[in-house]
Amino acid sequence: MTSSNKIISAKDFSEDFIWGVATSAPQIEGAYNVDGRGLSTWDVFAKRSGKIKDKSNLNHACNFYYRYKDDLLIAKGLGFKVFRFSISWSRILPDGTGKVNQAGIKFYHNLIDECLQLGLTPYVTLFHWDLPYTLQKEGGWTSHFIVKWFSKFVKLCCKEYGNKVKNWMVINEPMSFTALGYMLGIHAPGKKGLNNFFPAVFNTAMAQAEGGRIIRDIVDNANIGTTFSCSEIKPYTNSELDIAAANKMDILINRLFIEPTLGLGFPNDGFALMDKLNFTTKAWRYIEKMQFDFDFIGVQNYFPITVKHSSIIPIINAMEVKPSKRKVPQNGLGWEINADSFYNIIRKIAAYHNVKNIIVTENGACFNDKIVNGVVNDTERINYFNTHLTALHKLHKEEPKLKGYFAWTLLDNFEWSEGYKARFGLVYVDFITQLRTIKQSGYWWRDFLKK
Ligand code: GAL
């Protein structure tokens, strides 16, 4: 499918369907050490771990701290109604707790005011992975004090911005940052093993629900959500072993965080790892505390995962069969592109009866974009959005819980351990000059959203 045979537009969705574009503070803001900002785990990890592919760091990123007005104008110009961003915890609380940095507070007031003035509804994420480094030195997400530290941060945000911001997301993809940062050591803070992973998972589940309660207490008429990374999990063959492997992967990837949030506790289904998690954290005592009645669940999807049994992989006895091996369509990072799976995973989340509403709070693709004579002709990204929005449209007609879709992301940015080479933006960024060029996919969105 190409842009020329586009079959749908925003007009084919209901009037109140929410169209947004998503970003996060650490990936775009830069200005890492100005106006009193404290360091985050990612500032330190990027410089010390040797794990960022292009050896880059977050010091300047997209310089959004200085360029937010122009960048918001672009988001507005493309026709989006919502701008999703996150608050850098260490910009407003440089040490994580205690002294408040007024310059940081002011920055987010300015950003929010600018959004409102342009008619962009702000959707604010409270935690998008950039923990204040001072708190990491005290154990970070493995410390049970994190619930207290996080609560204070959330209270501060709600009191400062709650009059102007009504739409909140507590945590971005708990599974991603606990698994990558506290189990596998490939994201900040670079910790490994179950001794880090289990407490991080438990404390995150607790903090997520507590964050929801705090927002509900402080902000009048709040619309409160949190976001989960989700992937359809497919067994490689119909063998019993592959199906069992897929089931374990599904528990870890899709169910681990949403189920405690919905009051179901951690999933189990005979998976010994989950017994161990329950046992070490005594999670059954905290079923109520890990639960919060979120107004919406943010579904974030990038790829499906195909899984087969493997006796050499410890604990889960499952391994991914890579898209390259299966010769299926892939994005620039080798992630499978599959719009049917996108449709299926949203349906799966919608099937939980106490999920009230769903917003796709991130979806998008990275390609090896080239700028030629000032034009970025990213037809693959256009095709990606075209097929995924067609699937979304089908779902929209069938699933009343589905309320909105946010494209990831406005600008090419710091893509975590991939550095700056993995470009996901609708806008191409030259990281030397900071020049912005709207990609053809950005113009495609403008046409799609046109009333
Ligand atoms: C998500 C994450 C985003 C972004 C995206 C693309 O998991 O929330 O920050 O990096 O993946 O990889």
Side-chain angles (χ1 to χ4, degrees):
M1 196 181 291
T2 65
S3 56
S4 55
N5 60 11
K6 182 157 65 105
I7 52 158
I8 48 154
S9 81
K11 286 194 215 92
D12 300 315
F13 287 73
S14 58
E15 265 297 299
D16 55 356
F17 198 81
I18 309 161
W19 295 103
V21 66
T23 65
S24 86
Q27 292 176 279
I28 62 173
E29 280 184 6
Y32 82 110
N33 64 351
V34 304
D35 297 343
R37 181 182 178 279
L39 292 180
S40 82
T41 47
W42 268 97
D43 294 314
V44 177
F45 181 77
K47 286 172 195 163
R48 292 193 194 154
S49 67
K51 293 204 171 134
I52 312 300
K53 287 200 182 135
D54 60 2
K55 302 193 169 40
S56 61
N57 57 50
L58 300 74
N59 286 6
H60 305 297
C62 306
N63 251 327
F64 180 79
Y65 186 72
Y66 300 107
R67 293 172 167 263
Y68 67 93
K69 289 190 180 174
D70 290 348
D71 290 336
L72 291 178
L73 270 178
I74 299 176
K76 165 85 182 167
L78 296 184
F80 291 103
K81 295 285 184 291
V82 161
F83 185 69
R84 175 184 172 198
F85 63 91
S86 74
I87 294 180
S88 153
W89 186 340
S90 63
R91 194 178 289 293
I92 67 172
L93 287 165
D95 295 320
T97 57
K99 201 183 105 260
V100 176
N101 178 28
Q102 288 307 330
I105 294 281
K106 176 120 197 305
F107 169 69
Y108 294 106
H109 272 299
N110 293 344
L111 175 56
I112 292 162
D113 292 346
E114 195 69 19
C115 284
L116 294 174
Q117 219 169 350
L118 289 172
L120 287 166
T121 305
Y123 270 63
V124 172
T125 317
L126 286 160
F127 182 73
H128 203 123
W129 306 355
D130 47 346
L131 186 73
Y133 184 58
T134 321
L135 298 183
Q136 184 51 44
K137 286 194 276 187
E138 306 287 322
W141 287 96
T142 64
S143 164
H144 70 272
F145 287 116
I146 190 80
V147 181
K148 206 172 79 193
W149 300 328
F150 185 63
S151 298
K152 289 189 174 164
F153 165 62
V154 176
K155 272 181 201 153
L156 175 64
C157 293
C158 290
K159 285 187 179 148
E160 278 295 334
Y161 309 122
N163 284 339
K164 304 190 258 194
V165 172
K166 297 299 170 191
N167 302 284
W168 297 85
M169 284 150 293
V170 180
I171 290 183
N172 183 70
E173 296 190 358
M175 181 54 191
S176 306
F177 86 86
T178 54
L180 299 171
Y182 288 90
M183 176 71 205
L184 302 172
I186 51 181
H187 273 196
K191 303 287 179 205
K192 289 185 186 166
L194 294 178
N195 290 344
N196 288 304
F197 184 57
F198 283 166
V201 166
F202 175 70
N203 293 328
T204 304
M206 295 284 278
Q208 183 166 253
E210 189 61 16
R213 285 187 281 273
I214 292 169
I215 304 170
R216 185 74 80 221
D217 263 10
I218 302 180
V219 181
D220 291 337
N221 304 317
N223 181 33
I224 309 170
T226 197
T227 78
F228 298 112
S229 46
C230 312
S231 286
E232 189 189 15
I233 310 290
K234 297 190 276 191
Y236 189 46
T237 71
N238 280 334
S239 74
E240 245 173 62
L241 283 174
D242 283 1
I243 291 172
N247 187 41
K248 286 183 189 166
M249 191 70 99
D250 184 48
I251 289 177
L252 272 177
I253 299 283
N254 294 316
R255 298 174 50 195
L256 181 59
F257 279 97
I258 194 169
E259 294 196 0
T261 305
L262 298 175
L264 304 170
F266 290 123
N268 186 305
D269 286 6
F271 185 2
L273 183 74
M274 293 296 113
D275 285 339
K276 222 168 158 184
L277 169 67
N278 272 303
F279 183 75
T280 36
T281 60
K282 302 195 173 39
W284 62 86
R285 291 188 187 164
Y286 302 93
I287 302 271
E288 268 176 41
K289 289 215 144 167
M290 293 193 292
Q291 190 269 339
F292 179 73
D293 191 19
F294 282 101
D295 299 312
F296 70 93
I297 293 298
V299 169
Q300 314 205 147
N301 172 257
Y302 288 90
F303 48 79
I305 304 174
T306 295
V307 173
K308 71 172 184 186
H309 170 79
S310 160
S311 44
I312 47 174
I313 306 279
I315 303 165
I316 72 166
N317 299 132
M319 68 185 277
E320 184 186 4
V321 186
K322 297 266 184 221
S324 52
K325 196 162 168 232
R326 290 178 292 116
K327 305 208 172 21
V328 290
Q330 294 154 51
N331 79 4
L333 288 171
W335 300 354
E336 179 174 346
I337 299 176
N338 188 328
D340 292 338
S341 287
F342 171 68
Y343 169 93
N344 292 340
I345 190 66
I346 306 172
R347 287 208 79 143
K348 177 180 160 86
I349 303 297
Y352 284 106
H353 89 272
N354 41 354
V355 165
K356 297 203 275 197
N357 295 297
I358 289 179
I359 298 176
V360 176
T361 40
E362 283 184 24
N363 173 246
C366 153
F367 291 104
N368 187 15
D369 301 319
K370 293 274 175 294
I371 181 158
V372 180
N373 300 325
V375 175
V376 182
N377 198 9
D378 54 339
T379 47
E380 291 169 296
R381 187 172 288 102
I382 293 172
N383 289 340
Y384 180 93
F385 282 124
N386 213 339
T387 51
H388 283 67
L389 294 180
T390 303
L392 190 81
H393 180 244
K394 179 165 180 256
L395 199 61
H396 174 57
K397 288 188 290 183
E398 303 162 0
E399 179 48 74
K401 290 183 184 178
L402 179 63
K403 296 292 159 55
Y405 174 99
F406 304 169
W408 181 268
T409 177
L410 184 64
L411 306 167
D412 291 339
N413 59 35
F414 179 80
E415 177 51 34
W416 312 114
S417 53
E418 299 293 332
Y420 291 97
K421 293 229 170 84
R423 294 177 177 272
F424 277 85
L426 303 180
V427 177
Y428 185 93
V429 177
D430 178 325
F431 292 103
I432 296 168
T433 61
Q434 288 293 344
L435 190 76
R436 272 75 164 139
T437 303
I438 298 173
K439 300 178 191 176
Q440 291 306 300
S441 59
Y443 293 118
W444 181 92
W445 265 102
R446 183 196 57 187
D447 294 345
F448 176 89
L449 292 171
K450 215 176 253 164
K451 285 281 160 208

